[in-house]
């Protein structure tokens, strides 16, 4: 056990404790981002390769060679042990190519870095939302109403299809192309007014990205036994 502990890097030890050995469900707290760099091993002599691979001195006169033991342990950890504990939704795999300027840099790897940032942000939001949805919330009338309204909005907007021309009309209004005039959505019963409003409430932050809007959503009659 002592020898095994010595062979573990600090990062791997953290993974062992926080992911592989935890009695709790790691899918509620852990995300795994896997990066594949094409042509990495072909550039093993580059002075920056050690930032991406475990290397060791060689007795054959060459400067360095791949640390096969470390590489094998990392492969097992990445391809076998972590997937046993994490669902596919918690694992993100991204691919980039070795740059002739030395691995990954802000210029040659711009698309990959943007993709990584976007994936990280989206997965973090997803994980937080997942925890908030499953976490016990104190049963008071205000928090209960809020949860009911948000669940109702999400359910309707998720099932919303078509009617892009109506969405565009509302988007134009929300983004300020029809200032100073209130908008009223009306129609006969069953024509989808509530679903349209739910979809608009869901999309409003995208329409106003950068403006940090405050969106108040309220659907009358969906919360039972609410007294105000």
């Amino acid at each position: 056990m002592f020898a095994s502990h010595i062979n573990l890097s600090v990062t791997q030890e953290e993974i062992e404790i926080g992911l592989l050995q935890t009695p709790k469900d790691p899918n509620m707290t852990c995300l795994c981002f896997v990066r594949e760099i094409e042509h990495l091993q072909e550039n093993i002599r580059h002075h920056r390769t050690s930032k991406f691979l475990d290397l060791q001195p060689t007795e054959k006169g060459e400067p360095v060679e791949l640390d096969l033991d470390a590489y094998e342990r990392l492969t097992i950890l990445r391809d076998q042990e972590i997937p046993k504990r994490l669902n596919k939704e918690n694992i993100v795999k991204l691919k980039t190519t070795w740059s002739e300027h030395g691995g990954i840099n802000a210029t040659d790897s711009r698309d990959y870095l943007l993709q990584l940032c976007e994936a990280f942000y989206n997965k973090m939001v997803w994980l937080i939302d997942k925890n908030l949805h499953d976490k016990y919330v104190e049963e008071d009338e205000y928090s209960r109403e809020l949860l009911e309204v948000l669940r109702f909005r999400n359910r309707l907007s998720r099932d919303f299809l078509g009617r892009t021309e109506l969405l565009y009309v509302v988007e134009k209004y929300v983004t300020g192309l029809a200032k100073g005039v209130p908008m009223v959505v009306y129609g006969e019963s069953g024509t989808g007014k509530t679903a349209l409003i739910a979809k608009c409430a869901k999309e409003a932050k995208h329409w106003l990205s950068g403006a940090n809007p405050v969106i108040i959503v309220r659907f009358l009659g969906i919360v039972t036994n609410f007294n105000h």
Side-chain angles (χ1 to χ4, degrees):
M1 181 176 180
F2 180 70
S4 174
H5 179 75
I6 290 177
N7 288 332
L8 290 181
S9 67
V10 174
T11 301
Q12 187 171 350
E13 187 175 3
E14 291 175 347
I15 294 173
E16 289 278 350
I17 296 173
L19 172 58
L20 302 181
Q21 298 177 7
T22 177
K24 299 179 180 179
D25 181 7
N27 291 289
M28 300 301 293
T29 56
C30 297
L31 296 170
C32 176
F33 291 82
V34 179
R35 175 183 61 199
E36 178 184 346
I37 304 178
E38 294 181 326
H39 310 304
L40 174 58
Q41 293 195 36
E42 299 170 19
N43 292 275
I44 197 170
R45 305 295 178 230
H46 196 282
H47 68 278
R48 286 181 52 84
T49 305
S50 60
K51 295 182 178 294
F52 308 98
L53 282 176
D54 290 304
L55 304 177
Q56 63 182 7
T58 176
E59 299 177 357
K60 301 177 182 179
E62 299 290 343
V64 291
E65 65 180 3
L66 182 65
D67 186 334
L68 293 177
D69 179 61
Y71 183 78
E72 182 180 359
R73 284 190 282 118
L74 177 61
T75 301
I76 293 173
L77 179 67
R78 180 193 64 211
D79 298 342
Q80 298 179 27
E81 295 180 355
I82 290 179
K84 284 181 181 178
R85 293 286 283 154
L86 286 183
N87 296 331
K88 291 182 179 180
E89 294 81 6
N90 291 65
I91 301 175
V92 179
K93 296 183 178 181
L94 300 172
K95 182 182 293 187
T96 186
T97 302
W98 177 270
S99 165
E100 61 181 10
H101 298 106
I104 296 175
N105 61 73
T107 302
D108 298 333
S109 311
R110 183 177 183 275
D111 291 342
Y112 160 74
L113 294 173
L114 289 174
Q115 187 181 11
L116 172 61
C117 291
E118 182 179 5
F120 180 81
Y121 175 83
N122 290 336
K123 281 298 181 180
M124 286 298 296
V125 171
W126 169 77
L127 192 61
I128 292 170
D129 285 345
K130 182 179 178 181
N131 275 272
L132 288 176
H133 182 271
D134 294 345
K135 189 176 179 63
Y136 172 79
V137 178
E138 184 180 353
E139 186 67 17
D140 64 77
E141 59 182 18
Y142 297 102
S143 62
R144 184 165 59 86
E145 183 198 24
L146 176 61
L147 285 175
E148 289 289 343
V149 167
L150 292 178
R151 287 169 181 165
F152 183 77
R153 181 206 66 179
N154 290 342
R155 185 171 68 253
L156 286 186
S157 61
R158 183 177 61 245
D159 298 334
F160 187 89
L161 295 173
R163 289 168 284 180
T164 54
E165 68 283 355
L166 293 178
L167 282 176
Y168 179 66
V169 170
V170 179
E171 181 182 359
K172 284 176 56 180
Y173 173 80
V174 170
T175 53
L177 299 181
K179 294 182 178 179
V181 180
M183 171 172 279
V184 178
V185 177
Y186 64 94
E188 296 182 4
S189 177
T191 55
K193 300 184 299 297
T194 304
L196 175 63
I197 293 299
K199 182 66 173 177
C200 292
K202 184 77 171 178
E203 296 296 324
K205 281 200 172 184
H206 299 293
W207 295 340
L208 298 170
S209 59
N212 196 26
V214 175
I215 301 170
I216 301 174
V217 184
R218 181 77 181 271
F219 297 97
L220 300 180
I222 70 165
V223 181
T224 59
N225 300 323
F226 193 71
N227 298 320
H228 79 276

